[in-house]
Amino acid sequence: MEAKQIKEFAAKLGAQGCGIADLARFINAPEGFKPQDIFSACQSVVVFIKQMPTAAILAENPVPYTHTAYKMYEEIDRIAMELCRFFESNKINAVLVPADVPYLAWDQDKMHGKGILSLKHAAVQAGLGIMGRSTLFINKTLGNMVYIGAVLIDAAVEPDPLAEDFKCPENCRRCLDACPQQAMDGITVNQKLCREKSFFQAGRGWDLYNCNQCRKVCLYRVGKKSG
Ligand code: SF4
Ligand code: SF4
């Protein structure tokens, strides 16, 4: 199947960007977290993105941002499900990677979780953008408020070139400086420190986001030079 056909169908489903990565791009992924560890027949990873309605991050009340984020996960999973059906109707087996939970890997002490495939890395490997100093994924046009989905297929499709035409400015430390937990070192995020601040339980035990400063202050929040 041609990459163009896949991208056109993904766009029809509402994806705002779609790219393809081959397995060679995942050679440095941790053992157990490579596409072929999930689906041994996998030959290509189809990755797509969609932007959250961005003003949600400007609300002082945490409910709109939290609810919008959870709905984004549902939207991404819906697109991934339809993509799987599309591939199956073309005699290609397709396996969905969840947009969020469930995980298999969870370290309670460190409050550290790992999705079955890192969607941020997959999006980079599919040429859709870069990983910022905050470790958030950034698409040049849409910024960092994008959600990512992926489908693993047992067909070889031409991969996309990596996005190498933009990066974090050398001297930018906005995200690192804005973090109330000093959870970032420019390479990784200490998930325990982050989760202690970025989630809280309200009302009847509802989980709400309580911090998104690293996303909010980024130069690329809603696209290139948006800060
Ligand atoms: S969400 Fe908040 S606490 Fe977590 S890394 Fe970003 S700024 Fe720090
Ligand atoms: S705030 Fe600056 S350093 Fe951090 S991710 Fe955005 S552009 Fe990169």
Side-chain angles (χ1 to χ4, degrees), residues 145-168:
M145 294 186 67
V146 293
Y147 284 68
I148 307 167
V151 167
L152 315 179
I153 59 171
D154 63 357
V157 181
E158 180 72 23
D160 283 285
L162 299 178
E164 292 177 325
D165 58 342
F166 77 112
K167 58 181 184 178
C168 290

mmCIF file with all atom_site columns, all heavy atoms in Angstrom, residues 145-168:
data_model
loop_
_atom_site.group_PDB
_atom_site.id
_atom_site.type_symbol
_atom_site.label_atom_id
_atom_site.label_alt_id
_atom_site.label_comp_id
_atom_site.label_asym_id
_atom_site.label_entity_id
_atom_site.label_seq_id
_atom_site.pdbx_PDB_ins_code
_atom_site.Cartn_x
_atom_site.Cartn_y
_atom_site.Cartn_z
_atom_site.occupancy
_atom_site.B_iso_or_equiv
_atom_site.pdbx_formal_charge
_atom_site.auth_seq_id
_atom_site.auth_comp_id
_atom_site.auth_asym_id
_atom_site.auth_atom_id
_atom_site.pdbx_PDB_model_num
ATOM 1   N N   . MET A 1 145 ? 0.544  20.794 21.828 1.00 0.00 ? 145 MET A N   1
ATOM 2   C CA  . MET A 1 145 ? -0.744 20.351 22.372 1.00 0.00 ? 145 MET A CA  1
ATOM 3   C C   . MET A 1 145 ? -1.380 19.317 21.441 1.00 0.00 ? 145 MET A C   1
ATOM 4   O O   . MET A 1 145 ? -2.572 19.393 21.134 1.00 0.00 ? 145 MET A O   1
ATOM 5   C CB  . MET A 1 145 ? -1.647 21.550 22.610 1.00 0.00 ? 145 MET A CB  1
ATOM 6   C CG  . MET A 1 145 ? -1.078 22.447 23.717 1.00 0.00 ? 145 MET A CG  1
ATOM 7   S SD  . MET A 1 145 ? -2.156 23.787 24.175 1.00 0.00 ? 145 MET A SD  1
ATOM 8   C CE  . MET A 1 145 ? -3.514 22.912 24.930 1.00 0.00 ? 145 MET A CE  1
ATOM 9   N N   . VAL A 1 146 ? -0.560 18.409 20.969 1.00 0.00 ? 146 VAL A N   1
ATOM 10  C CA  . VAL A 1 146 ? -1.064 17.372 20.074 1.00 0.00 ? 146 VAL A CA  1
ATOM 11  C C   . VAL A 1 146 ? -1.064 16.029 20.787 1.00 0.00 ? 146 VAL A C   1
ATOM 12  O O   . VAL A 1 146 ? -0.224 15.761 21.647 1.00 0.00 ? 146 VAL A O   1
ATOM 13  C CB  . VAL A 1 146 ? -0.245 17.265 18.770 1.00 0.00 ? 146 VAL A CB  1
ATOM 14  C CG1 . VAL A 1 146 ? -0.410 18.513 17.920 1.00 0.00 ? 146 VAL A CG1 1
ATOM 15  C CG2 . VAL A 1 146 ? 1.218  16.991 19.045 1.00 0.00 ? 146 VAL A CG2 1
ATOM 16  N N   . TYR A 1 147 ? -2.015 15.214 20.443 1.00 0.00 ? 147 TYR A N   1
ATOM 17  C CA  . TYR A 1 147 ? -2.113 13.856 20.964 1.00 0.00 ? 147 TYR A CA  1
ATOM 18  C C   . TYR A 1 147 ? -1.731 12.903 19.835 1.00 0.00 ? 147 TYR A C   1
ATOM 19  O O   . TYR A 1 147 ? -1.927 13.214 18.663 1.00 0.00 ? 147 TYR A O   1
ATOM 20  C CB  . TYR A 1 147 ? -3.528 13.612 21.517 1.00 0.00 ? 147 TYR A CB  1
ATOM 21  C CG  . TYR A 1 147 ? -3.668 14.292 22.855 1.00 0.00 ? 147 TYR A CG  1
ATOM 22  C CD1 . TYR A 1 147 ? -3.664 15.689 22.931 1.00 0.00 ? 147 TYR A CD1 1
ATOM 23  C CD2 . TYR A 1 147 ? -3.723 13.563 24.030 1.00 0.00 ? 147 TYR A CD2 1
ATOM 24  C CE1 . TYR A 1 147 ? -3.727 16.327 24.158 1.00 0.00 ? 147 TYR A CE1 1
ATOM 25  C CE2 . TYR A 1 147 ? -3.790 14.200 25.261 1.00 0.00 ? 147 TYR A CE2 1
ATOM 26  C CZ  . TYR A 1 147 ? -3.790 15.579 25.324 1.00 0.00 ? 147 TYR A CZ  1
ATOM 27  O OH  . TYR A 1 147 ? -3.827 16.200 26.536 1.00 0.00 ? 147 TYR A OH  1
ATOM 28  N N   . ILE A 1 148 ? -1.184 11.769 20.248 1.00 0.00 ? 148 ILE A N   1
ATOM 29  C CA  . ILE A 1 148 ? -0.547 10.874 19.274 1.00 0.00 ? 148 ILE A CA  1
ATOM 30  C C   . ILE A 1 148 ? -1.204 9.497  19.308 1.00 0.00 ? 148 ILE A C   1
ATOM 31  O O   . ILE A 1 148 ? -1.506 8.974  20.385 1.00 0.00 ? 148 ILE A O   1
ATOM 32  C CB  . ILE A 1 148 ? 0.955  10.721 19.615 1.00 0.00 ? 148 ILE A CB  1
ATOM 33  C CG1 . ILE A 1 148 ? 1.622  12.087 19.747 1.00 0.00 ? 148 ILE A CG1 1
ATOM 34  C CG2 . ILE A 1 148 ? 1.670  9.865  18.564 1.00 0.00 ? 148 ILE A CG2 1
ATOM 35  C CD1 . ILE A 1 148 ? 3.015  12.029 20.390 1.00 0.00 ? 148 ILE A CD1 1
ATOM 36  N N   . GLY A 1 149 ? -1.394 8.939  18.131 1.00 0.00 ? 149 GLY A N   1
ATOM 37  C CA  . GLY A 1 149 ? -1.883 7.565  18.026 1.00 0.00 ? 149 GLY A CA  1
ATOM 38  C C   . GLY A 1 149 ? -0.983 6.773  17.096 1.00 0.00 ? 149 GLY A C   1
ATOM 39  O O   . GLY A 1 149 ? -0.256 7.349  16.280 1.00 0.00 ? 149 GLY A O   1
ATOM 40  N N   . ALA A 1 150 ? -1.021 5.457  17.214 1.00 0.00 ? 150 ALA A N   1
ATOM 41  C CA  . ALA A 1 150 ? -0.198 4.622  16.333 1.00 0.00 ? 150 ALA A CA  1
ATOM 42  C C   . ALA A 1 150 ? -0.878 3.276  16.087 1.00 0.00 ? 150 ALA A C   1
ATOM 43  O O   . ALA A 1 150 ? -1.605 2.759  16.940 1.00 0.00 ? 150 ALA A O   1
ATOM 44  C CB  . ALA A 1 150 ? 1.181  4.390  16.945 1.00 0.00 ? 150 ALA A CB  1
ATOM 45  N N   . VAL A 1 151 ? -0.614 2.768  14.901 1.00 0.00 ? 151 VAL A N   1
ATOM 46  C CA  . VAL A 1 151 ? -1.118 1.465  14.484 1.00 0.00 ? 151 VAL A CA  1
ATOM 47  C C   . VAL A 1 151 ? 0.053  0.697  13.880 1.00 0.00 ? 151 VAL A C   1
ATOM 48  O O   . VAL A 1 151 ? 0.816  1.257  13.093 1.00 0.00 ? 151 VAL A O   1
ATOM 49  C CB  . VAL A 1 151 ? -2.262 1.666  13.447 1.00 0.00 ? 151 VAL A CB  1
ATOM 50  C CG1 . VAL A 1 151 ? -2.588 0.374  12.751 1.00 0.00 ? 151 VAL A CG1 1
ATOM 51  C CG2 . VAL A 1 151 ? -3.501 2.241  14.118 1.00 0.00 ? 151 VAL A CG2 1
ATOM 52  N N   . LEU A 1 152 ? 0.213  -0.546 14.292 1.00 0.00 ? 152 LEU A N   1
ATOM 53  C CA  . LEU A 1 152 ? 1.305  -1.386 13.787 1.00 0.00 ? 152 LEU A CA  1
ATOM 54  C C   . LEU A 1 152 ? 0.757  -2.269 12.675 1.00 0.00 ? 152 LEU A C   1
ATOM 55  O O   . LEU A 1 152 ? -0.258 -2.949 12.880 1.00 0.00 ? 152 LEU A O   1
ATOM 56  C CB  . LEU A 1 152 ? 1.851  -2.268 14.920 1.00 0.00 ? 152 LEU A CB  1
ATOM 57  C CG  . LEU A 1 152 ? 2.104  -1.584 16.271 1.00 0.00 ? 152 LEU A CG  1
ATOM 58  C CD1 . LEU A 1 152 ? 2.621  -2.601 17.285 1.00 0.00 ? 152 LEU A CD1 1
ATOM 59  C CD2 . LEU A 1 152 ? 3.087  -0.429 16.121 1.00 0.00 ? 152 LEU A CD2 1
ATOM 60  N N   . ILE A 1 153 ? 1.415  -2.267 11.534 1.00 0.00 ? 153 ILE A N   1
ATOM 61  C CA  . ILE A 1 153 ? 0.873  -3.048 10.413 1.00 0.00 ? 153 ILE A CA  1
ATOM 62  C C   . ILE A 1 153 ? 1.910  -4.042 9.884  1.00 0.00 ? 153 ILE A C   1
ATOM 63  O O   . ILE A 1 153 ? 3.123  -3.803 9.978  1.00 0.00 ? 153 ILE A O   1
ATOM 64  C CB  . ILE A 1 153 ? 0.377  -2.127 9.264  1.00 0.00 ? 153 ILE A CB  1
ATOM 65  C CG1 . ILE A 1 153 ? 1.499  -1.226 8.720  1.00 0.00 ? 153 ILE A CG1 1
ATOM 66  C CG2 . ILE A 1 153 ? -0.801 -1.293 9.719  1.00 0.00 ? 153 ILE A CG2 1
ATOM 67  C CD1 . ILE A 1 153 ? 1.106  -0.462 7.458  1.00 0.00 ? 153 ILE A CD1 1
ATOM 68  N N   . ASP A 1 154 ? 1.393  -5.138 9.318  1.00 0.00 ? 154 ASP A N   1
ATOM 69  C CA  . ASP A 1 154 ? 2.304  -6.169 8.790  1.00 0.00 ? 154 ASP A CA  1
ATOM 70  C C   . ASP A 1 154 ? 2.549  -5.971 7.292  1.00 0.00 ? 154 ASP A C   1
ATOM 71  O O   . ASP A 1 154 ? 2.558  -6.934 6.526  1.00 0.00 ? 154 ASP A O   1
ATOM 72  C CB  . ASP A 1 154 ? 1.791  -7.581 9.106  1.00 0.00 ? 154 ASP A CB  1
ATOM 73  C CG  . ASP A 1 154 ? 0.451  -7.898 8.453  1.00 0.00 ? 154 ASP A CG  1
ATOM 74  O OD1 . ASP A 1 154 ? -0.136 -7.017 7.796  1.00 0.00 ? 154 ASP A OD1 1
ATOM 75  O OD2 . ASP A 1 154 ? -0.018 -9.051 8.606  1.00 0.00 ? 154 ASP A OD2 1
ATOM 76  N N   . ALA A 1 155 ? 2.728  -4.709 6.909  1.00 0.00 ? 155 ALA A N   1
ATOM 77  C CA  . ALA A 1 155 ? 3.049  -4.384 5.510  1.00 0.00 ? 155 ALA A CA  1
ATOM 78  C C   . ALA A 1 155 ? 4.164  -3.344 5.520  1.00 0.00 ? 155 ALA A C   1
ATOM 79  O O   . ALA A 1 155 ? 4.200  -2.478 6.400  1.00 0.00 ? 155 ALA A O   1
ATOM 80  C CB  . ALA A 1 155 ? 1.819  -3.819 4.805  1.00 0.00 ? 155 ALA A CB  1
ATOM 81  N N   . ALA A 1 156 ? 5.061  -3.465 4.556  1.00 0.00 ? 156 ALA A N   1
ATOM 82  C CA  . ALA A 1 156 ? 6.156  -2.494 4.454  1.00 0.00 ? 156 ALA A CA  1
ATOM 83  C C   . ALA A 1 156 ? 5.680  -1.296 3.637  1.00 0.00 ? 156 ALA A C   1
ATOM 84  O O   . ALA A 1 156 ? 5.207  -1.447 2.514  1.00 0.00 ? 156 ALA A O   1
ATOM 85  C CB  . ALA A 1 156 ? 7.358  -3.138 3.778  1.00 0.00 ? 156 ALA A CB  1
ATOM 86  N N   . VAL A 1 157 ? 5.780  -0.119 4.247  1.00 0.00 ? 157 VAL A N   1
ATOM 87  C CA  . VAL A 1 157 ? 5.368  1.127  3.586  1.00 0.00 ? 157 VAL A CA  1
ATOM 88  C C   . VAL A 1 157 ? 6.560  2.079  3.645  1.00 0.00 ? 157 VAL A C   1
ATOM 89  O O   . VAL A 1 157 ? 7.302  2.096  4.644  1.00 0.00 ? 157 VAL A O   1
ATOM 90  C CB  . VAL A 1 157 ? 4.138  1.751  4.298  1.00 0.00 ? 157 VAL A CB  1
ATOM 91  C CG1 . VAL A 1 157 ? 3.701  3.032  3.601  1.00 0.00 ? 157 VAL A CG1 1
ATOM 92  C CG2 . VAL A 1 157 ? 2.983  0.760  4.353  1.00 0.00 ? 157 VAL A CG2 1
ATOM 93  N N   . GLU A 1 158 ? 6.735  2.872  2.603  1.00 0.00 ? 158 GLU A N   1
ATOM 94  C CA  . GLU A 1 158 ? 7.857  3.820  2.526  1.00 0.00 ? 158 GLU A CA  1
ATOM 95  C C   . GLU A 1 158 ? 7.863  4.749  3.756  1.00 0.00 ? 158 GLU A C   1
ATOM 96  O O   . GLU A 1 158 ? 6.874  5.438  4.018  1.00 0.00 ? 158 GLU A O   1
ATOM 97  C CB  . GLU A 1 158 ? 7.668  4.645  1.238  1.00 0.00 ? 158 GLU A CB  1
ATOM 98  C CG  . GLU A 1 158 ? 8.725  5.685  0.959  1.00 0.00 ? 158 GLU A CG  1
ATOM 99  C CD  . GLU A 1 158 ? 10.054 5.058  0.537  1.00 0.00 ? 158 GLU A CD  1
ATOM 100 O OE1 . GLU A 1 158 ? 10.055 3.917  0.050  1.00 0.00 ? 158 GLU A OE1 1
ATOM 101 O OE2 . GLU A 1 158 ? 11.075 5.734  0.744  1.00 0.00 ? 158 GLU A OE2 1
ATOM 102 N N   . PRO A 1 159 ? 8.966  4.764  4.543  1.00 0.00 ? 159 PRO A N   1
ATOM 103 C CA  . PRO A 1 159 ? 8.993  5.648  5.721  1.00 0.00 ? 159 PRO A CA  1
ATOM 104 C C   . PRO A 1 159 ? 9.187  7.115  5.340  1.00 0.00 ? 159 PRO A C   1
ATOM 105 O O   . PRO A 1 159 ? 9.706  7.420  4.267  1.00 0.00 ? 159 PRO A O   1
ATOM 106 C CB  . PRO A 1 159 ? 10.202 5.129  6.512  1.00 0.00 ? 159 PRO A CB  1
ATOM 107 C CG  . PRO A 1 159 ? 11.046 4.390  5.545  1.00 0.00 ? 159 PRO A CG  1
ATOM 108 C CD  . PRO A 1 159 ? 10.181 3.930  4.408  1.00 0.00 ? 159 PRO A CD  1
ATOM 109 N N   . ASP A 1 160 ? 8.790  7.985  6.246  1.00 0.00 ? 160 ASP A N   1
ATOM 110 C CA  . ASP A 1 160 ? 8.961  9.434  6.028  1.00 0.00 ? 160 ASP A CA  1
ATOM 111 C C   . ASP A 1 160 ? 10.325 9.886  6.525  1.00 0.00 ? 160 ASP A C   1
ATOM 112 O O   . ASP A 1 160 ? 10.876 9.304  7.470  1.00 0.00 ? 160 ASP A O   1
ATOM 113 C CB  . ASP A 1 160 ? 7.877  10.200 6.807  1.00 0.00 ? 160 ASP A CB  1
ATOM 114 C CG  . ASP A 1 160 ? 6.554  10.134 6.097  1.00 0.00 ? 160 ASP A CG  1
ATOM 115 O OD1 . ASP A 1 160 ? 6.394  10.831 5.095  1.00 0.00 ? 160 ASP A OD1 1
ATOM 116 O OD2 . ASP A 1 160 ? 5.688  9.346  6.540  1.00 0.00 ? 160 ASP A OD2 1
ATOM 117 N N   . PRO A 1 161 ? 10.865 10.957 5.934  1.00 0.00 ? 161 PRO A N   1
ATOM 118 C CA  . PRO A 1 161 ? 12.110 11.512 6.482  1.00 0.00 ? 161 PRO A CA  1
ATOM 119 C C   . PRO A 1 161 ? 11.869 12.118 7.861  1.00 0.00 ? 161 PRO A C   1
ATOM 120 O O   . PRO A 1 161 ? 10.749 12.540 8.168  1.00 0.00 ? 161 PRO A O   1
ATOM 121 C CB  . PRO A 1 161 ? 12.484 12.602 5.464  1.00 0.00 ? 161 PRO A CB  1
ATOM 122 C CG  . PRO A 1 161 ? 11.246 12.897 4.703  1.00 0.00 ? 161 PRO A CG  1
ATOM 123 C CD  . PRO A 1 161 ? 10.357 11.687 4.769  1.00 0.00 ? 161 PRO A CD  1
ATOM 124 N N   . LEU A 1 162 ? 12.916 12.144 8.679  1.00 0.00 ? 162 LEU A N   1
ATOM 125 C CA  . LEU A 1 162 ? 12.793 12.750 10.011 1.00 0.00 ? 162 LEU A CA  1
ATOM 126 C C   . LEU A 1 162 ? 12.649 14.262 9.884  1.00 0.00 ? 162 LEU A C   1
ATOM 127 O O   . LEU A 1 162 ? 13.125 14.862 8.907  1.00 0.00 ? 162 LEU A O   1
ATOM 128 C CB  . LEU A 1 162 ? 14.034 12.408 10.843 1.00 0.00 ? 162 LEU A CB  1
ATOM 129 C CG  . LEU A 1 162 ? 14.268 10.920 11.097 1.00 0.00 ? 162 LEU A CG  1
ATOM 130 C CD1 . LEU A 1 162 ? 15.555 10.715 11.889 1.00 0.00 ? 162 LEU A CD1 1
ATOM 131 C CD2 . LEU A 1 162 ? 13.092 10.295 11.841 1.00 0.00 ? 162 LEU A CD2 1
ATOM 132 N N   . ALA A 1 163 ? 11.999 14.884 10.875 1.00 0.00 ? 163 ALA A N   1
ATOM 133 C CA  . ALA A 1 163 ? 11.846 16.347 10.889 1.00 0.00 ? 163 ALA A CA  1
ATOM 134 C C   . ALA A 1 163 ? 13.129 16.952 11.450 1.00 0.00 ? 163 ALA A C   1
ATOM 135 O O   . ALA A 1 163 ? 13.398 16.820 12.648 1.00 0.00 ? 163 ALA A O   1
ATOM 136 C CB  . ALA A 1 163 ? 10.648 16.733 11.745 1.00 0.00 ? 163 ALA A CB  1
ATOM 137 N N   . GLU A 1 164 ? 13.922 17.564 10.598 1.00 0.00 ? 164 GLU A N   1
ATOM 138 C CA  . GLU A 1 164 ? 15.211 18.089 11.066 1.00 0.00 ? 164 GLU A CA  1
ATOM 139 C C   . GLU A 1 164 ? 15.338 19.588 10.803 1.00 0.00 ? 164 GLU A C   1
ATOM 140 O O   . GLU A 1 164 ? 16.429 20.139 10.848 1.00 0.00 ? 164 GLU A O   1
ATOM 141 C CB  . GLU A 1 164 ? 16.353 17.320 10.383 1.00 0.00 ? 164 GLU A CB  1
ATOM 142 C CG  . GLU A 1 164 ? 16.382 15.882 10.859 1.00 0.00 ? 164 GLU A CG  1
ATOM 143 C CD  . GLU A 1 164 ? 17.433 15.009 10.183 1.00 0.00 ? 164 GLU A CD  1
ATOM 144 O OE1 . GLU A 1 164 ? 17.696 15.197 8.992  1.00 0.00 ? 164 GLU A OE1 1
ATOM 145 O OE2 . GLU A 1 164 ? 17.964 14.137 10.887 1.00 0.00 ? 164 GLU A OE2 1
ATOM 146 N N   . ASP A 1 165 ? 14.193 20.230 10.534 1.00 0.00 ? 165 ASP A N   1
ATOM 147 C CA  . ASP A 1 165 ? 14.252 21.644 10.166 1.00 0.00 ? 165 ASP A CA  1
ATOM 148 C C   . ASP A 1 165 ? 13.907 22.591 11.315 1.00 0.00 ? 165 ASP A C   1
ATOM 149 O O   . ASP A 1 165 ? 13.747 23.781 11.112 1.00 0.00 ? 165 ASP A O   1
ATOM 150 C CB  . ASP A 1 165 ? 13.333 21.912 8.963  1.00 0.00 ? 165 ASP A CB  1
ATOM 151 C CG  . ASP A 1 165 ? 11.887 21.530 9.243  1.00 0.00 ? 165 ASP A CG  1
ATOM 152 O OD1 . ASP A 1 165 ? 11.651 20.759 10.202 1.00 0.00 ? 165 ASP A OD1 1
ATOM 153 O OD2 . ASP A 1 165 ? 11.002 21.989 8.510  1.00 0.00 ? 165 ASP A OD2 1
ATOM 154 N N   . PHE A 1 166 ? 13.767 22.070 12.536 1.00 0.00 ? 166 PHE A N   1
ATOM 155 C CA  . PHE A 1 166 ? 13.606 22.956 13.693 1.00 0.00 ? 166 PHE A CA  1
ATOM 156 C C   . PHE A 1 166 ? 14.003 22.209 14.954 1.00 0.00 ? 166 PHE A C   1
ATOM 157 O O   . PHE A 1 166 ? 14.082 20.983 14.961 1.00 0.00 ? 166 PHE A O   1
ATOM 158 C CB  . PHE A 1 166 ? 12.166 23.495 13.800 1.00 0.00 ? 166 PHE A CB  1
ATOM 159 C CG  . PHE A 1 166 ? 11.155 22.517 14.350 1.00 0.00 ? 166 PHE A CG  1
ATOM 160 C CD1 . PHE A 1 166 ? 10.566 22.727 15.585 1.00 0.00 ? 166 PHE A CD1 1
ATOM 161 C CD2 . PHE A 1 166 ? 10.773 21.388 13.632 1.00 0.00 ? 166 PHE A CD2 1
ATOM 162 C CE1 . PHE A 1 166 ? 9.626  21.832 16.100 1.00 0.00 ? 166 PHE A CE1 1
ATOM 163 C CE2 . PHE A 1 166 ? 9.841  20.490 14.136 1.00 0.00 ? 166 PHE A CE2 1
ATOM 164 C CZ  . PHE A 1 166 ? 9.266  20.718 15.364 1.00 0.00 ? 166 PHE A CZ  1
ATOM 165 N N   . LYS A 1 167 ? 14.326 22.969 15.994 1.00 0.00 ? 167 LYS A N   1
ATOM 166 C CA  . LYS A 1 167 ? 14.705 22.354 17.280 1.00 0.00 ? 167 LYS A CA  1
ATOM 167 C C   . LYS A 1 167 ? 14.519 23.397 18.378 1.00 0.00 ? 167 LYS A C   1
ATOM 168 O O   . LYS A 1 167 ? 14.258 24.580 18.084 1.00 0.00 ? 167 LYS A O   1
ATOM 169 C CB  . LYS A 1 167 ? 16.142 21.860 17.234 1.00 0.00 ? 167 LYS A CB  1
ATOM 170 C CG  . LYS A 1 167 ? 17.157 22.924 16.926 1.00 0.00 ? 167 LYS A CG  1
ATOM 171 C CD  . LYS A 1 167 ? 18.553 22.322 16.877 1.00 0.00 ? 167 LYS A CD  1
ATOM 172 C CE  . LYS A 1 167 ? 19.570 23.427 16.666 1.00 0.00 ? 167 LYS A CE  1
ATOM 173 N NZ  . LYS A 1 167 ? 20.938 22.994 16.656 1.00 0.00 ? 167 LYS A NZ  1
ATOM 174 N N   . CYS A 1 168 ? 14.685 23.003 19.625 1.00 0.00 ? 168 CYS A N   1
ATOM 175 C CA  . CYS A 1 168 ? 14.623 23.958 20.734 1.00 0.00 ? 168 CYS A CA  1
ATOM 176 C C   . CYS A 1 168 ? 15.794 24.933 20.590 1.00 0.00 ? 168 CYS A C   1
ATOM 177 O O   . CYS A 1 168 ? 16.924 24.495 20.336 1.00 0.00 ? 168 CYS A O   1
ATOM 178 C CB  . CYS A 1 168 ? 14.764 23.242 22.072 1.00 0.00 ? 168 CYS A CB  1
ATOM 179 S SG  . CYS A 1 168 ? 13.362 22.236 22.530 1.00 0.00 ? 168 CYS A SG  1
#
